Amino acid sequence: MARSSPWRDIALGTELIHIGFGNYVAANRVIGIATAGSAPVKRLVQEGRNRNLTVDMTGGRRTKAVVFMDNGNIVLVAMTPSTIENRVRSFGLRGVAEEEPAGDA
């Protein structure tokens, strides 16, 4: 019986966002980005650690942002939330064709 690949859900056309130190996340799987300093986010990260859902991609640096994924994983990142936001937004703008306005032609 063939083993299921952890990459099976990522389609070939999926845009990957670089989050530092050679690490990437799938842009279409990101549901939220938060600053790591608040108490509620710290509680969510600790709960994720207890449930083995936290992925530390800080490369040993201070965690500046927490990325929440649609599969429940919590990704710790050493980049600022605004930097990640800009990269996610640039993903959303690429590939979006400009639509012609509906009018009386």
Side-chain angles (χ1 to χ4, degrees):
M1 181 177 198
R3 293 181 65 190
S4 174
S5 169
W7 301 102
R8 67 177 162 62
D9 293 333
I10 298 178
L12 292 176
T14 299
E15 182 76 19
L16 298 175
I17 306 280
H18 183 257
I19 56 170
F21 305 107
N23 298 308
Y24 297 83
V25 295
N28 62 333
R29 308 287 303 261
V30 174
I31 60 171
I33 304 167
T35 305
S38 71
V41 172
K42 287 180 180 181
R43 280 193 295 272
L44 286 171
V45 168
Q46 186 57 48
E47 183 179 327
R49 281 193 174 121
N50 294 341
R51 299 168 80 186
N52 294 322
L53 295 173
T54 303
V55 180
D56 187 347
M57 294 189 173
T58 61
R61 306 277 171 97
R62 185 174 70 91
T63 301
K64 294 182 182 176
V66 178
V67 178
F68 297 95
M69 308 298 286
D70 66 350
N71 62 359
N73 283 345
I74 300 170
V75 181
L76 307 179
V77 184
M79 299 171 77
T80 63
S82 60
T83 301
I84 300 168
E85 175 197 9
N86 291 336
R87 293 180 183 188
V88 171
R89 284 185 191 272
S90 70
F91 160 73
L93 296 176
R94 275 185 273 163
V96 176
E98 289 188 28
E99 296 181 20
E100 294 184 26
D104 299 305

